[in-house]
């Protein structure tokens, strides 16, 4: 473990925002985190604990107020097609077809049309949307839209996938289905995945490591290794063990947050 | 049977009432005055009507009015979009003031705007004295008419594009940045398609305003028959000569052309919104 160099490294990373009224708000207090190449890490925590801020720092949408974020040893200075963000609201282009959306990144890279098309079709095959390539996003269900977004990301062959609550807007059945799909894609293409969720079960189903965060100020409460092989059977006893573990910890975080809120009133 | 059924299926009551009201209102405000126009026109024989509306002076005024209105609307579609962009995306000192200035052409009495423009662009005016040596004459030319139409049309484009830019989902641009699109690609492939419907709406409004504008144009136009005489002025001239039928004949042709153009723009706009959720 120690010989392996980490893919993503956060050292003493800190982020504060200044509100419109000039108050300084700490979104992420100094924290360290290392993520290995090919690892699947989940960030969980109650809303407002800085999950989005943290993933935005890693993806290059935000710059840290202090400390450093590096990917492959290089400081993250902005968005990069090698590490792609997948959003809860899909971020698809409504005027482009499914195929057109997947082609977007390949066109931006200047890949010749024929090759781009082949690659886009192969990726759409991978996510099971080969039959829907000529549809527009408004004709698709939420789950299909998110699969298009995933295909669009995978088509440019990133080494890291950042996902900020990507399945939060979907119904439970679609969510389970896409979780399994994502695991399959991850096992086939092996990117490093950083996955934000507020759903503890989702984190246990997916993550090799779960980073539990706590609010006020945003920080890491505990890191849990989930030593179960994928795919994980959600009804098994060992799944329930990690579930109990995480829920207990989450309960503590939640109570602390509530108490702090009471004190501050 | 099917009618009563669909009426029962509506969640909100009052469909019949509101539809009736809408038709009544549109009739009183729009349809009755407009049909009066056509009835008055109908007092002319067909031969007289044609002779009136294809007389060279009238044709020249149509060409000028619609040509200048289109040119002004195009200019506004481009520069109004830029203004909206700057107002939404950048913070700078005096931004509130700039934002308020955009509405000025709405509020200013058109005659004031016209006199101001004519003064500023006349050969010894603030701008005219620099343009004249370059061989650009603005006041009392078709160019001046276009300038006046740009002035009064600007807020329409800015105020339709601005809210769309404000509401634009940041994910669309962030996804583009992630996928490796550079700034220019993001503008061309993400921003422009997102705001095109709004720009078309703004264009249509600015165009319609330009065609109908009178007050701010006549001061800068020079009003020379065949050269710088707009159709609304021609209509007024005919009215002053008690040629009501002639005036309404020109007006009804203008109305039909405007209506057809707006219909086309509306269809275009609907088409550009065909993928909206
Ligand atoms: N752009 C911003 N400006 C000001 N405050 C922000 C901004 N982004 C996030 N915050 C604050 O930082 C904290 C963490 O937010 P966020 O990272 O969105 O949490 P989470 O994703 O876990 O719900 C919140 O208190 C939020 O109000
Ligand atoms: Mg969030």
């Amino acid at each position: 473990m120690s010989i392996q160099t980490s893919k993503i490294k956060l050292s003493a990373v800190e982020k504060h925002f200044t509100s419109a009224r000039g108050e300084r708000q700490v979104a992420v207090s100094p924290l360290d985190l290392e993520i290995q190449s090919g690892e699947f890490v989940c960030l969980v925590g109650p809303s407002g604990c800085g999950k989005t801020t943290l993933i935005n720092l890693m993806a290059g949408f935000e710059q840290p107020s202090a400390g450093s974020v590096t990917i492959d040893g290089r400081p993250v200075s902005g968005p990069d097609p090698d590490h792609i963000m997948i959003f809860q609201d899909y971020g698809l282009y409504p005027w482009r077809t499914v195929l057109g959306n997947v082609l977007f990144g390949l066109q931006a890279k200047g890949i010749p049309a024929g090759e781009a098309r082949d690659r886009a079709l192969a990726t759409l095959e991978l996510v099971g949307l080969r039959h829907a390539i000529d549809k527009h996003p408004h004709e698709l269900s939420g789950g299909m839209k998110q699969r298009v977004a995933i295909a669009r990301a995978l088509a440019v062959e990133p080494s890291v996938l950042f996902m900020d609550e990507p399945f939060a807007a979907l119904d439970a059945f679609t969510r389970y289905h896409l979780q399994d799909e994502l695991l399959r894609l991850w096992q086939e293409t092996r990117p490093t995945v950083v996955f934000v969720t507020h759903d503890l079960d989702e984190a246990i189903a997916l993550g090799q490591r779960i980073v539990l965060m706590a609010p006020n100020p945003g920080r890491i409460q505990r890191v849990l290794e989930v030593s179960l092989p994928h795919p994980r059977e959600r009804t098994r006893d060992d799944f329930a063990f990690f579930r109990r573990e995480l829920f207990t910890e989450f309960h503590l975080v939640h109570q602390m947050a509530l108490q702090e809120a009471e004190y501050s009133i | 049977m099917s009618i009563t059924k669909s009426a029962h299926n509506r969640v909100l009551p009052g469909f019949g009432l509101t539809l009736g009201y809408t038709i009544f209102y549109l009739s009183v405000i729009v349809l009755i005055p407009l049909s009066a126009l056509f009835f008055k026109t109908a007092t002319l024989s067909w031969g007289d009507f044609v002779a009136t509306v294809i007389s060279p002076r009238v044709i020249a005024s149509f060409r000028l009015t619609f040509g200048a209105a289109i040119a002004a609307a195009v200019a506004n579609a481009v520069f109004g979009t830029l203004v909206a962009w700057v107002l939404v995306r950048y913070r700078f000192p005096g931004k509130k003031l700039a934002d308020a200035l955009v509405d000025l052409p709405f509020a200013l009495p058109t005659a004031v705007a016209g006199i101001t423009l004519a003064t500023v662009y006349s050969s010894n005016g603030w701008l005219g004295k620099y343009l004249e040596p370059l061989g650009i004459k603005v006041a009392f030319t078709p160019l001046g008419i276009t300038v006046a139409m740009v002035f009064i049309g600007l807020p329409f484009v800015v105020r339709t594009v601005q809210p769309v830019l404000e509401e634009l989902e940041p994910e669309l641009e962030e996804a583009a940045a992630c996928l490796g699109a550079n700034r220019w690609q993001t503008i061309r492939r993400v921003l422009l398609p997102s705001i095109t419907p709004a720009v078309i709406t703004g264009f249509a409004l600015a165009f319609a305003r330009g065609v109908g504008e009178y007050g701010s144009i006549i001061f800068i136009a020079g009003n020379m028959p065949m050269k710088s005489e707009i159709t609304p002025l021609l209509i007024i001239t005919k009215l002053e000569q008690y040629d009501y039928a002639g005036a309404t004949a020109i007006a009804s042709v203008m109305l039909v052309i405007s209506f057809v153009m707006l219909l086309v723009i509306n269809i275009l706009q609907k088409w550009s919104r065909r993928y909206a959720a």
Side-chain angles (χ1 to χ4, degrees):
Chain A
M1 192 78 180
S2 57
I3 317 159
Q4 203 182 3
T5 54
S6 45
K7 177 82 184 171
I8 305 173
K9 188 166 178 177
L10 302 149
S11 318
V13 166
E14 202 178 331
K15 180 72 186 178
H16 21 86
F17 292 104
T18 312
S19 72
R21 276 175 289 163
E23 294 160 7
R24 209 182 79 138
Q25 189 182 6
V26 182
V28 174
S29 65
L31 61 78
D32 300 294
L33 181 66
E34 289 190 28
I35 295 168
Q36 307 306 321
S37 187
E39 195 179 10
F40 199 128
V41 172
C42 289
L43 303 179
V44 280
S47 106
C49 70
K51 305 182 294 294
T52 296
T53 307
L54 198 59
I55 203 169
N56 280 345
L57 285 167
M58 291 190 248
F61 291 134
E62 304 268 8
Q63 291 299 313
S65 310
S68 75
V69 182
T70 61
I71 296 183
D72 293 324
R74 287 187 301 275
V76 174
S77 59
D80 184 317
D82 186 50
H83 31 95
I84 292 196
M85 176 77 95
I86 289 172
F87 306 93
Q88 184 181 324
D89 303 326
Y90 325 115
L92 297 180
Y93 302 119
W95 55 90
R96 284 185 167 231
T97 61
V98 166
L99 182 63
N101 268 281
V102 178
L103 280 172
F104 187 93
L106 301 169
Q107 288 166 343
K109 264 190 174 176
I111 290 172
E115 189 194 334
R117 196 184 151 84
D118 290 344
R119 264 169 76 175
L121 289 176
T123 326
L124 282 165
E125 181 87 62
L126 202 63
V127 299
L129 281 179
R130 195 49 222 264
H131 61 282
I133 57 170
D134 290 325
K135 290 207 152 72
H136 281 88
H138 71 101
E139 300 169 275
L140 305 178
S141 68
M144 285 166 92
K145 282 184 199 162
Q146 196 56 287
R147 281 195 277 164
V148 176
I150 293 172
R152 183 174 68 177
L154 291 179
V156 294
E157 296 173 355
S159 70
V160 186
L161 274 186
F162 292 111
M163 309 182 86
D164 190 358
E165 309 207 16
F167 305 149
L170 306 176
D171 65 85
F173 291 104
T174 313
R175 196 155 62 228
Y176 287 145
H177 183 62
L178 276 185
Q179 287 167 4
D180 294 342
E181 286 271 302
L182 178 63
L183 281 174
R184 181 177 63 76
L185 292 169
W186 171 64
Q187 283 169 329
E188 277 177 35
T189 54
R190 275 290 160 169
T192 308
V193 180
V194 181
F195 189 105
V196 166
T197 176
H198 59 247
D199 177 349
L200 299 182
D201 284 320
E202 185 167 67
I204 302 166
L206 296 176
Q208 293 175 302
R209 251 186 330 149
I210 296 174
V211 177
L212 181 65
M213 295 180 65
N216 300 318
R219 62 188 184 276
I220 293 175
Q221 171 79 9
R222 191 177 157 191
V223 179
L224 193 72
E225 300 255 356
V226 183
S227 50
L228 301 174
H230 288 106
R232 292 165 181 165
E233 189 51 60
R234 292 180 179 84
T235 49
R236 272 177 45 167
D237 286 349
D238 39 12
F239 194 95
F241 167 79
F242 284 105
R243 203 166 178 270
R244 221 166 14 248
E245 193 85 346
L246 201 54
F247 268 90
T248 315
E249 196 76 46
F250 183 71
H251 205 66
L252 290 175
V253 169
H254 206 65
Q255 290 220 311
M256 277 185 326
L258 285 177
Q259 275 166 9
E260 274 168 33
E262 269 167 34
Y263 282 133
S264 65
I265 285 168
Chain B
M1 178 67 204
S2 67
I3 291 170
T4 43
K5 195 166 179 230
S6 76
H8 277 292
N9 282 345
R10 278 174 216 286
V11 180
L12 290 177
F15 171 71
L17 187 67
T18 47
L19 181 70
Y21 179 75
T22 306
I23 290 173
F24 173 74
Y25 191 79
L26 275 178
S27 304
V28 171
I29 302 288
V30 183
L31 291 178
I32 292 177
L34 289 188
S35 50
L37 186 70
F38 288 104
F39 282 128
K40 188 77 200 173
T41 310
T43 61
L44 284 176
S45 74
W46 178 249
D48 288 343
F49 172 79
V50 173
T52 306
V53 299
I54 66 162
S55 77
R57 191 171 160 189
V58 173
I59 294 287
S61 84
F62 282 148
R63 200 176 289 146
L64 175 67
T65 306
F66 287 102
I70 288 174
V74 168
N76 274 328
V78 175
F79 295 105
T81 303
L82 274 180
V83 170
W85 171 261
V86 169
L87 288 177
V88 171
R89 288 302 170 100
Y90 301 105
R91 269 197 257 174
F92 53 91
K95 176 172 162 166
K96 284 234 164 65
L97 192 71
D99 199 79
L101 277 179
V102 169
D103 286 330
L104 210 56
F106 273 150
L108 213 58
T110 51
V112 176
I115 293 165
T116 312
L117 287 172
T119 314
V120 167
Y121 284 104
S122 68
S123 49
N124 50 11
W126 286 352
L127 292 172
K129 73 177 167 208
Y130 299 109
L131 292 172
E132 198 106 320
L134 302 173
I136 305 170
K137 268 183 72 81
V138 178
F140 317 125
T141 67
L143 183 59
I145 296 170
T146 310
V147 167
M149 287 179 178
V150 169
F151 176 81
I152 50 153
L154 177 74
F156 291 96
V157 175
V158 177
R159 292 301 183 230
T160 45
V161 175
Q162 199 176 14
V164 175
L165 277 174
E166 272 163 3
E167 303 287 307
L168 217 60
E169 290 172 39
E171 282 91 0
L172 295 187
E173 281 168 81
E174 287 175 353
C178 266
L179 292 163
N182 60 34
R183 216 168 147 64
W184 172 239
Q185 287 171 323
T186 306
I187 290 174
R188 203 163 61 86
R189 297 200 177 140
V190 178
L191 289 170
L192 284 185
S194 309
I195 60 172
T196 301
V199 175
I200 295 175
T201 307
F203 176 90
L205 293 170
F207 165 76
R209 175 73 202 262
V211 168
E213 181 60 14
Y214 175 74
S216 60
I217 293 176
I218 46 163
F219 293 97
I220 198 174
N223 307 326
M224 274 179 300
M226 304 300 295
K227 285 213 183 73
S228 57
E229 186 180 49
I230 55 169
T231 311
L233 177 67
L234 201 54
I235 293 171
I236 299 234
T237 311
K238 292 237 183 257
L239 289 176
E240 281 170 350
Q241 295 162 353
Y242 305 105
D243 180 7
Y244 295 126
T248 52
I250 301 172
S252 36
V253 170
M254 194 176 181
L255 187 76
V256 169
I257 299 177
S258 299
F259 186 74
V260 169
M261 292 188 82
L262 288 176
L263 203 64
V264 169
I265 294 171
N266 261 332
I267 291 168
L268 194 67
Q269 199 191 335
K270 208 162 195 148
W271 176 81
S272 72
R273 281 186 210 276
R274 67 201 177 283
Y275 300 127

